[in-house]
Amino acid sequence: MTSTDRARVERRRAAAVPARSRSIEVDGHQFTVHSLKSTSPSPDAPTYLLVHGIGASHRYYRRVQRSLAAIGHTHSLDLPGFGGTRRPVRPLAVEEYGALLGRLLDRLEVPRAVLVGHSMGAQFVTEVARQRPDAVSHLVLIGPVTDPRRSTAVRQALGLTRDVAKESPSGNLIVFRDYLECGPRWFSTELVPMLGYRTDLALGEVHSPILVIRGTNDPVSGSTWCASLAAAAPDGHVFEVAGHRHLVHHSAAVQTAAIIEGHALRLPAVAHPAQ
């Protein structure tokens, strides 16, 4: 059996195992964590934390989570106010989400993880890496926002509309369901901190190896913007997946997982001091 065949077998095994779901409270905020243990026999299997964007949930990560479970332990989240979790009583800033995610890793007893964030989730994981460098071995930003040249609600809505028009039906079905569950009030509440957060400036304080992934046809997260994010980081790289859009982690899940895996195998460029 070739290594490629073995990888396919492991991915099929991972897909057959249901995720364990549990609700975890962190400082009065509800998270739902959907976990898959690695099917890999390696004792050094990495742990991946998958963080969704505004209005979304863990559902659009299901495919890539199953692929990553062949090589590492995975935790995919529903953040407070999203995916059916209890809504916070007030708006939360990106920095607050970052602090909560750091404490969630402590609750999960994960000392060090590969953090993967999509869209606004890329802002959240950037904050974790900035605030808790000891807890983040590698950072992956998929379709990150918000380009300061396009940081208005109208510009973002236009980009999303263009994206939805050509996304896969299965991806749109997941996203529409999640947006309805989130509701326009909480979505618009969290849109304000998303538009104001400067991901590019925050990445200058992150020393974990950073990988930016985008679909070449993504109208939300442009190529120039993604290149600038990689350049802003001390150790940043960009990978574009041809023919895919903003939901590249769903529409090209196996390929995206393989790209993330390759990034996670890179050794951290800087040893992080304990905080």
Side-chain angles (χ1 to χ4, degrees):
M1 182 182 287
T2 67
S3 59
T4 302
D5 291 334
R6 282 194 294 270
R8 287 173 179 166
V9 169
E10 288 299 325
R11 294 190 195 284
R12 283 197 295 269
R13 287 176 180 170
V17 178
R20 174 195 177 198
S21 300
R22 50 192 159 145
S23 177
I24 297 179
E25 295 274 335
V26 179
D27 296 348
H29 297 285
Q30 182 190 14
F31 291 81
T32 305
V33 183
H34 308 270
S35 305
L36 278 175
K37 284 191 175 182
S38 175
T39 59
S40 169
S42 171
D44 301 319
T47 297
Y48 298 92
L49 186 76
L50 310 179
V51 182
H52 65 75
I54 188 170
S57 77
H58 78 285
R59 297 182 187 102
Y60 69 3
Y61 270 127
R62 280 174 175 159
R63 292 179 179 178
V64 77
Q65 182 180 19
R66 288 167 183 161
S67 288
L68 287 173
I71 53 174
H73 309 298
T74 61
H75 301 290
S76 186
L77 309 181
D78 291 320
L79 298 171
F82 303 104
T85 62
R86 187 176 65 250
R87 292 175 190 170
V89 296
R90 61 173 179 80
L92 295 178
V94 173
E95 292 82 357
E96 290 179 287
Y97 273 112
L100 289 169
L101 286 169
R103 290 194 278 277
L104 177 65
L105 286 171
D106 296 336
R107 291 286 305 276
L108 293 171
E109 299 183 338
V110 175
R112 204 161 169 80
V114 179
L115 265 57
V116 180
H118 172 257
S119 199
M120 190 180 184
Q123 298 179 335
F124 300 150
V125 297
T126 295
E127 265 304 302
V128 181
R130 190 183 71 82
Q131 297 178 27
R132 292 280 304 273
D134 58 306
V136 182
S137 65
H138 301 76
L139 197 62
V140 180
L141 313 180
I142 304 175
V145 293
T146 305
D147 187 337
R149 298 169 301 177
R150 303 175 66 245
S151 59
T152 67
V154 172
R155 295 291 296 273
Q156 291 299 303
L158 287 173
L160 284 171
T161 300
R162 288 172 55 204
D163 183 61
V164 164
K166 295 185 178 180
E167 282 285 3
S168 68
S170 61
N172 279 336
L173 184 62
I174 292 171
V175 169
F176 289 157
R177 174 185 172 185
D178 286 341
Y179 281 6
L180 287 172
E181 192 167 39
C182 166
R185 183 175 179 180
W186 185 245
F187 184 97
S188 60
T189 296
E190 288 306 297
L191 184 63
V192 175
M194 184 192 89
L195 295 176
Y197 184 79
R198 290 294 300 269
T199 312
D200 51 341
L201 300 182
L203 285 175
E205 301 179 40
V206 175
H207 297 284
S208 304
I210 295 168
L211 177 64
V212 181
I213 301 175
R214 71 177 292 270
T216 54
N217 298 333
D218 185 347
V220 178
S221 190
S223 58
T224 301
W225 163 242
C226 288
S228 71
L229 290 179
D235 184 5
H237 304 268
V238 180
F239 195 105
E240 296 193 322
V241 182
H244 291 270
R245 302 179 71 80
H246 197 52
L247 300 182
V248 60
H249 56 295
H250 173 78
S251 59
V254 173
Q255 185 177 357
T256 301
I259 296 166
I260 294 171
E261 177 185 6
H263 177 63
L265 292 175
R266 297 182 63 227
L267 294 176
V270 177
H272 303 308
Q275 299 296 298

